[in-house]
Amino acid sequence: MAAMASGSPALLVVQVLLLLLPLLFSVDGCAAAGTTTPTIRAQRGKPNTISRQPPAPAVRALVQSTCNATTYYDLCVAALVSDPSSSTADLRGLCAIAVSAAATNASATAANLTNATSSSSAATAGPITGSPQPGSDGRAQVQAVLLQACAAKYGEAREALLEARESVGEEAYDYAFVHVSAAAEYPAVCRTLFRRKRVAYPVELAKREEALEHLCTVAIDIITLLA
């Protein structure tokens, strides 16, 4: 220190700067290291920016409360919301929609069965009959006759449901109940015909029978709320 004091002022400044340089570099290094931390955190936070699908629109309260009173809630909601008018319909309107859904189902099955029996080849293989049944040509003819009878039964179910819809519009709920109940029984008659002839009941036809029965049950449950 005595040597530093005895030197010139310029030499003293140079010596002080030489002593401070290591400190300046160490501070810059720390600052540089500190600036990397926010970048790392930002990268770790990227997964939180993934967009999510918006939630499905809520089912109308009246549709929910109505379907809660039915045996098949999910089927009821699906049948009602498939008709745009359900967004503004009252309970009677929802009932008419449910009956119409059952009528549409019965009509589609009747048309499918009619197409399946329009030719001898379609009678033994098609969307309703499935794979050809083993046996003689006589058995195939019996199956064709049974499918024709089933087409007629589903046609009668459709007509009964159309009558039920008119009864709902007229607020004649007792008649509507009777018509829908009858419509639900027609597919069961079809199954009975197959059993009596000892012919295998097509799996696809069994599924259609169940679908119509469930739709009719939903319609009856809603009619009961109105009666």
Side-chain angles (χ1 to χ4, degrees):
M1 293 297 293
M4 291 176 59
S6 62
S8 65
L11 180 60
L12 182 60
V13 171
V14 171
Q15 289 176 339
V16 171
L17 289 176
L18 290 175
L19 292 173
L20 293 177
L21 281 176
L23 290 175
L24 292 174
F25 281 115
S26 63
V27 172
D28 291 342
C30 292
T35 57
T36 60
T37 302
T39 303
I40 294 173
R41 290 177 180 173
Q43 290 174 349
R44 290 178 180 174
K46 282 183 179 179
N48 295 330
T49 63
I50 296 176
S51 61
R52 302 178 185 274
Q53 293 294 331
V59 177
R60 186 183 172 209
L62 181 58
V63 172
Q64 283 186 323
S65 61
T66 300
C67 291
N68 275 330
T70 66
T71 307
Y72 305 105
Y73 175 84
D74 291 338
L75 177 62
C76 173
V77 171
L80 295 183
V81 301
S82 65
D83 190 322
S85 65
S86 65
S87 61
T88 56
D90 58 8
L91 182 58
R92 182 158 63 99
L94 294 179
C95 183
I97 292 172
V99 173
S100 296
T104 300
N105 179 279
S107 181
T109 301
N112 204 318
L113 287 167
T114 299
N115 293 335
T117 57
S118 60
S119 64
S120 58
S121 60
T124 56
I128 289 292
T129 60
S131 301
Q133 297 292 330
S136 64
D137 291 340
R139 174 157 298 222
Q141 292 176 356
V142 170
Q143 187 182 54
V145 171
L146 290 173
L147 291 175
Q148 289 175 352
C150 288
K153 292 301 177 184
Y154 276 90
E156 291 173 2
R158 175 194 59 214
E159 295 304 316
L161 290 165
L162 293 178
E163 290 288 339
R165 188 174 63 185
E166 290 186 8
S167 297
V168 170
E170 298 168 356
E171 300 185 19
Y173 301 123
D174 289 343
Y175 286 107
F177 185 96
V178 170
H179 288 309
V180 177
S181 298
E185 293 299 321
Y186 285 119
V189 174
C190 177
R191 178 187 287 270
T192 300
L193 292 175
F194 270 83
R195 185 173 63 249
R196 287 179 179 175
K197 295 296 182 180
R198 297 182 178 180
V199 176
Y201 194 51
V203 174
E204 178 63 25
L205 189 54
K207 292 178 180 178
R208 289 172 178 267
E209 175 188 346
E210 183 180 70
L212 179 58
E213 179 186 351
H214 289 183
L215 285 169
C216 287
T217 299
V218 168
I220 288 173
D221 289 341
I222 299 177
I223 290 173
T224 302
L225 296 176
L226 290 165

